Amino acid sequence: MGALDSGPDDASPDGERFLHAVQVMQEATNTSMEAVLSGADSVSADDADEVVRGCKLLRDLGERHHNLTAGPLQAERQVWVAVPAREQAALVQALYVDGAHPHQQRERALVKPPGIGLYTSTQPVDCEPPWLMYLRLYYGSDIHPLPWGVYVCEPVADVRAYEVATAGDWVELHRRYPESTPSGIVPDWSTFSREFTCVHICLQAVVALQGMRLRLPGGVSAPAFYDIETTFWVSSQVIKVQLTSLIR
Amino acid sequence: MSEFALSGRAGAWHRPTDLGASTRLRASVNVSLAVGVFALVSLQPGEAFAASGAGVSALSDPLTPAIADFGPVVPTTAESTSTESTTGSVITCQPDVQYPHLSSHVNGTVNVVVTVKCTGTVDRISIRAALYRNGPLVKDSGSKAVTFTRSAQNNAAEACNIADYTGWGSWVVTFLSNYTPRFLSGSGFGSSAHINC
């Protein structure tokens, strides 16, 4: 927890402290984690969660932003940032996992299957949503080309969110909806989408599971890298998005 | 890129949150060892430009090397400090060239991130990132300037090839006018990583 707790002090605005968390988590990449975990095959969810409980930054942010750090999902405060910005019509065609869409036929099962689903983050009361904080670190870079479209999301049907607030919750998700791959066990998002409309990965879970192979019945999970509080929408019927601004 | 230690009861690990700007790196199966990160070029305390700032010329960005050859061994701690003239407060800036990695947000892309983080607000940070594939330079971010800030970041990325990738970074920090020295700069390579797309 050293890096997370060595950032802006308690008197700093929450936006600065969230940004610090984003900056620390983005350093935990697949190659850096492989380097520092060299020789470690897997960890238990209990051990991962125990270490995170000691993080002062998460505790402090959780006092005022519990929905982001530990849930539950605030479906009415979700923000999507499209990179680059897309036309509304193209967006509606999307990208969802539920049975109505041909993209359900995936070539590779992954924790984050490419081109499938919508990723949003929660708009806090007094600062930018985490995904926009992350993107601003890359402003001007061709990896996230401008313009960026900022969309607010409105629930238009029943939202059935699966909450992942701990590494234990992540393990349970894999236990209920497992799909084996050469990289490890990943969630079977297609089966998942028949019962839930989205999965809300809270910030403390992001910290607990980032880059870790967690022990599961019958194997280990493939490492996941979310960096920020994230909601992954797997159903196309539940939210409506509206463009609010373009960042150029 | 700091050491990752097993502590407490079996299976309890320090979190990746312990990752910081340490330049001491370890070897593993797919990540080759590179000692040190930055070849630091800095002024010594007292070896100052005029404190007023008038007529002081900024340091220019180091040139991006054409080939990743790692260069000489550099000190473990590549920090730069500057001291305020009246209070004696010190600002320390830490550069970091992260491991090249597969982007978790842009599928099929290899990315390397270079950062500079300071313990106080500085006037300006110019920062540049470069990516090397099996030796030659493949991407240069160009210089990016951030003003009145405590940190800056730049990145270089390309479509993934199965290869050994290395990152390089350069930085120039301009401290506020009441700090000595006023300008500090550095550059250097980070760890190599073999990327399987």
Side-chain angles (χ1 to χ4, degrees):
Chain A
M1 298 299 107
L4 275 180
D5 286 341
S6 65
D9 60 28
D10 297 1
S12 301
D14 285 347
E16 286 187 20
R17 303 188 80 187
F18 270 119
L19 177 60
H20 174 71
V22 171
Q23 291 173 316
V24 171
M25 293 315 300
Q26 74 152 354
E27 294 179 20
T29 63
N30 58 336
T31 44
S32 65
M33 290 303 292
E34 183 178 349
V36 297
L37 293 175
S38 178
D41 183 42
S42 60
V43 298
S44 73
D46 286 346
D47 287 341
D49 287 330
E50 180 181 345
V51 176
V52 171
R53 282 185 209 108
C55 181
K56 182 179 185 304
L57 176 63
L58 289 177
R59 282 202 309 275
D60 291 351
L61 290 175
E63 290 178 4
R64 294 176 294 281
H65 304 280
H66 191 269
N67 296 94
L68 277 81
T69 60
L73 171 72
Q74 291 177 292
E76 71 285 2
R77 295 186 66 85
Q78 295 304 296
V79 173
W80 178 54
V81 184
V83 174
R86 301 175 201 177
E87 293 295 329
Q88 184 78 17
L91 187 129
V92 170
Q93 294 307 310
L95 303 169
Y96 296 100
V97 178
D98 58 358
H101 199 277
H103 276 297
Q104 187 179 10
Q105 299 300 321
R106 300 188 302 275
E107 293 182 6
R108 294 184 299 169
L110 295 170
V111 176
K112 299 168 77 174
I116 291 179
L118 198 69
Y119 293 86
T120 64
S121 58
T122 303
Q123 170 68 65
V125 172
D126 51 4
C127 56
E128 286 191 326
W131 181 229
L132 195 52
M133 286 186 192
Y134 178 96
L135 284 175
R136 288 199 189 277
L137 298 174
Y138 288 90
Y139 184 82
S141 169
D142 58 6
I143 195 174
H144 295 298
L146 296 167
W148 302 335
V150 182
Y151 299 79
V152 293
C153 306
E154 177 190 353
V156 295
D158 180 35
V159 174
R160 299 187 305 280
Y162 189 105
E163 295 286 343
V164 176
T166 64
D169 294 334
W170 187 245
V171 165
E172 178 62 16
L173 173 67
H174 287 66
R175 189 194 67 77
R176 290 175 64 172
Y177 308 99
E179 182 159 7
S180 293
T181 77
S183 302
I185 297 172
V186 302
D188 178 350
W189 294 119
S190 179
T191 305
F192 173 86
S193 71
R194 295 179 195 142
E195 295 185 53
F196 293 93
T197 58
C198 62
V199 57
H200 179 217
I201 303 155
C202 308
L203 181 57
Q204 67 183 28
V206 171
V207 174
L209 61 89
Q210 178 118 341
M212 307 298 260
R213 296 182 184 276
L214 297 170
R215 293 181 199 134
L216 307 171
V220 295
S221 66
F225 300 87
Y226 286 101
D227 295 331
I228 59 169
E229 178 256 357
T230 300
T231 299
F232 175 43
W233 298 85
V234 298
S235 169
S236 60
Q237 309 298 325
V238 178
I239 56 170
K240 182 177 68 174
V241 300
Q242 181 175 352
L243 180 68
T244 57
S245 61
L246 282 177
I247 298 173
R248 300 184 187 276
Chain B
M1 293 183 280
S2 60
E3 300 256 341
F4 196 94
L6 182 65
S7 67
R9 58 189 170 93
W13 295 91
H14 286 304
R15 293 296 310 126
T17 52
D18 290 338
L19 291 171
S22 168
T23 59
R24 182 68 70 191
L25 307 164
R26 300 189 309 160
S28 68
V29 174
N30 289 326
V31 179
S32 60
L33 177 67
V35 177
V37 173
F38 272 90
L40 183 64
V41 176
S42 69
L43 301 174
Q44 298 301 313
E47 199 178 296
F49 292 113
S52 68
V56 176
S57 57
L59 297 175
S60 57
D61 293 340
L63 295 176
T64 308
I67 300 288
D69 62 5
F70 293 104
V73 174
V74 295
T76 301
T77 302
E79 294 181 342
S80 301
T81 63
S82 187
T83 306
E84 202 272 342
S85 58
T86 54
T87 65
S89 69
V90 175
I91 295 177
T92 299
C93 295
Q94 180 89 48
D96 188 24
V97 179
Q98 299 175 9
Y99 285 96
H101 61 276
L102 271 175
S103 171
S104 59
H105 299 289
V106 183
N107 192 50
T109 301
V110 174
N111 186 29
V112 67
V113 175
V114 177
T115 66
V116 171
K117 296 177 185 176
C118 301
T119 55
T121 300
V122 300
D123 191 39
R124 176 187 171 103
I125 301 175
S126 295
I127 188 166
R128 189 184 196 106
L131 185 65
Y132 297 79
R133 171 168 25 98
N134 293 334
L137 173 70
V138 294
K139 193 63 177 293
D140 186 336
S141 68
S143 185
K144 170 181 171 180
V146 184
T147 56
F148 205 66
T149 184
R150 295 167 69 116
S151 67
Q153 168 176 319
N154 208 341
N155 76 288
E158 71 158 14
C160 185
N161 292 269
I162 299 175
D164 293 327
Y165 281 93
T166 309
W168 178 91
S170 73
W171 55 290
V172 178
V173 175
T174 306
F175 294 88
L176 297 173
S177 60
N178 51 332
Y179 277 80
T180 302
R182 183 83 194 278
F183 305 101
L184 292 170
S185 73
S187 65
F189 291 96
S191 288
S192 290
H194 182 78
I195 305 289
N196 289 309
C197 306

